[in-house]
Amino acid sequence: MNIDTFLIYSVIAFLYVLSPGPAVMLAIVNGIRTDMKTVAISCFANILGLAVLSTASILGLGVLILTSATLFLIVKIIGAFYLMYLGLKFLRNRGILNIDAMEKNVKQKSKKAYFFESFFVAVTNPKPIIFFTAIFPQFLNLHEAIAPQFFIMTGEFLCFSFFGLCTYAFLSKKSKALLSNEKRMYWFNKFTGGLFIFLGLSLLRIKNHA
């Protein structure tokens, strides 16, 4: 892979990571309701899920999912309904809607729960499957060893994802002051819940064009 191709891939990967989606929204919410250590664990779980999808795509599973209408539909439906489930949890939150209460109540949720929540969101999202299967291979030089290119490109993508999600979470944490009263948290929960449901419905609209 020449440097020009690598730079083009880097720009596309960076923009993809920064684009709004389920992982970004989850990072923002986690940044508000928990500490950065837990956020880092959650972000690591996300890139672990992306690593699974990337490896699966290079081994052919991604192609199988894209070419099998049934498998694609199963993955899409599971991911969509999980996002809508998260959205409904926010919409039904009628407790004391302030930051202190959220941080106090969230201690009951283990870091392991955050890990698996983020991992599940990552591996059931069809968008990364499409990226790794339809876009990723276009930057591989088939006249050179595939494995080194795969590790370099995947490693860069995962680094972008991890630091991008952590940045979103950190910025949302710094915005806590804007969401420190009941009225603002009420609308935050409504907006967040609606956005998660919208993202879930958006996944259902993704079509298999293979």
Side-chain angles (χ1 to χ4, degrees):
M1 177 188 301
N2 60 49
I3 187 64
D4 292 337
T5 301
F6 179 75
L7 290 176
I8 293 173
Y9 166 79
S10 298
V11 171
I12 292 175
F14 181 75
L15 293 177
Y16 174 87
V17 167
L18 293 184
S19 62
V24 169
M25 193 62 220
L26 192 59
I28 291 173
V29 171
N30 287 341
I32 291 175
R33 65 185 182 179
T34 189
D35 56 89
M36 286 305 296
K37 180 178 179 180
T38 304
V39 165
I41 292 174
S42 177
C43 293
F44 177 76
N46 181 269
I47 68 169
L48 186 62
L50 292 177
V52 170
L53 293 181
S54 176
T55 303
S57 71
I58 209 68
L59 294 177
L61 181 58
V63 175
L64 177 61
I65 291 176
L66 283 180
T67 55
S68 170
T70 301
L71 283 177
F72 187 89
L73 183 63
I74 290 173
V75 171
K76 182 172 66 173
I77 289 176
I78 291 175
F81 276 91
Y82 185 67
L83 290 175
M84 287 188 279
Y85 162 75
L86 293 178
L88 288 174
K89 287 182 66 176
F90 277 97
L91 291 178
R92 295 176 62 185
N93 189 350
R94 294 187 175 90
I96 300 174
L97 302 179
N98 58 64
I99 296 296
D100 292 336
M102 289 179 71
E103 292 181 333
K104 181 179 179 180
N105 294 332
V106 84
K107 292 179 181 177
Q108 300 174 3
K109 187 174 179 179
S110 66
K111 289 180 171 57
K112 184 178 180 180
Y114 279 103
F115 179 92
F116 283 108
E117 178 183 60
S118 186
F119 180 82
F120 194 74
V121 167
V123 297
T124 58
N125 186 357
K127 288 179 64 179
I129 297 175
I130 295 174
F131 177 86
F132 287 122
T133 305
I135 299 176
F136 189 92
Q138 297 183 34
F139 294 92
L140 293 174
N141 187 340
L142 300 180
H143 299 292
E144 299 178 1
I146 299 296
Q149 299 179 71
F150 169 77
F151 285 115
I152 291 173
M153 293 169 63
T154 300
E156 182 185 39
F157 186 88
L158 297 184
C159 285
F160 282 160
S161 297
F162 181 82
F163 289 108
L165 293 177
C166 285
T167 299
Y168 271 117
F170 178 77
L171 292 176
S172 69
K173 183 174 290 296
K174 290 300 181 181
S175 301
K176 278 186 177 182
L178 298 176
L179 299 170
S180 59
N181 64 60
E182 183 175 337
K183 183 177 180 180
R184 288 170 181 165
M185 282 308 303
Y186 172 84
W187 288 111
F188 171 79
N189 278 325
K190 297 305 179 187
F191 174 78
T192 301
L195 187 54
F196 265 117
I197 292 175
F198 172 77
L199 290 170
L201 293 174
S202 296
L203 287 189
L204 292 176
R205 295 173 59 86
I206 295 178
K207 297 181 179 180
N208 185 352
H209 296 291

